Amino acid sequence: IDNQAEKEKSYQAREWKRDLAGTFDIAYANVDAGYFTLLLGRDHIRWGPSSRDVLLLSDQIPPFDMIKAEGKLGSFKLVWFATALDQIFIPPGEGDFQSGNGFWTKRYLSGHRLNLKSRAGIELGLSEVVLYGGENRNFEPYYLIPILPYYGEQYNRDMDDNILWSFDLAVTWFKNKEIYLE
């Protein structure tokens, strides 16, 4: 809660009363069973071993309202999430759509990440996310399966979804030093 929120460029909420404004960036229920966690609610996502900036999913963007699961087995960790993004309006005549009215389109984001962190000070990560949607499109069941490669599904179904991949590596062999690439 802030009484000078309008001065912050990144603030995206409306004023409440008496110059007060606010937003809740983090609000979720989390079940932690040791080797498996399940989160339902609003939180940030940040993927990658770097303690600073990352390219694919950074905690510098607004939080997602999502469902997220994490599973750990030895040195491996699998993370999966799915969220509905804000709808956007497609004006008449834009792109391939030549209707006279325009329409609101739904958008969704799903992703999964496999991470290996060895005792030798090497951490490897492979991530895949998909941004998809459309005028009458809903969550796609195949993008809700954590271990299914998204690219193969969108290719086999002849869909034009946006698949993004990321590979990262961090080496921490030296005290207080990290070599990181993504």
Side-chain angles (χ1 to χ4, degrees), residues 1-139:
I1 297 177
D2 194 346
N3 64 353
Q4 296 183 2
E6 70 280 354
K7 293 181 181 178
E8 296 180 33
K9 292 179 183 178
S10 64
Y11 186 76
Q12 297 179 355
R14 293 176 24 190
E15 181 181 317
W16 294 348
K17 291 182 179 180
R18 296 187 214 102
D19 295 327
L20 287 180
T23 185
F24 298 94
D25 286 347
I26 300 173
Y28 58 80
N30 192 45
V31 176
D32 189 347
Y35 63 92
F36 178 80
T37 61
L38 180 67
L39 179 140
L40 180 61
R42 179 178 294 173
D43 198 6
H44 292 277
I45 293 181
R46 186 183 151 286
W47 280 0
S50 175
S51 59
R52 303 190 81 193
D53 298 323
V54 293
L55 294 176
L56 188 60
L57 288 173
S58 167
D59 56 3
Q60 300 301 311
I61 60 175
F64 293 117
D65 295 327
M66 66 179 152
I67 182 168
K68 181 174 86 169
E70 291 186 23
K72 296 177 187 173
L73 183 61
S75 298
F76 289 94
K77 179 167 76 168
L78 178 66
V79 182
W80 166 86
F81 78 95
T83 183
L85 302 175
D86 296 339
Q87 292 186 25
I88 58 173
F89 184 73
I90 305 296
E94 288 268 328
D96 295 336
F97 307 101
Q98 300 299 322
S99 69
N101 299 327
F103 60 91
W104 286 93
T105 182
K106 298 176 182 178
R107 301 179 308 146
Y108 304 95
L109 182 68
S110 295
H112 47 211
R113 174 181 173 79
L114 182 61
N115 201 71
L116 169 65
K117 188 170 187 175
S118 74
R119 293 182 184 177
I122 298 174
E123 187 171 355
L124 298 168
L126 179 62
S127 304
E128 181 182 38
V129 297
V130 59
L131 174 65
Y132 64 100
E135 183 177 11
N136 295 312
R137 200 160 175 198
N138 293 312
F139 279 109

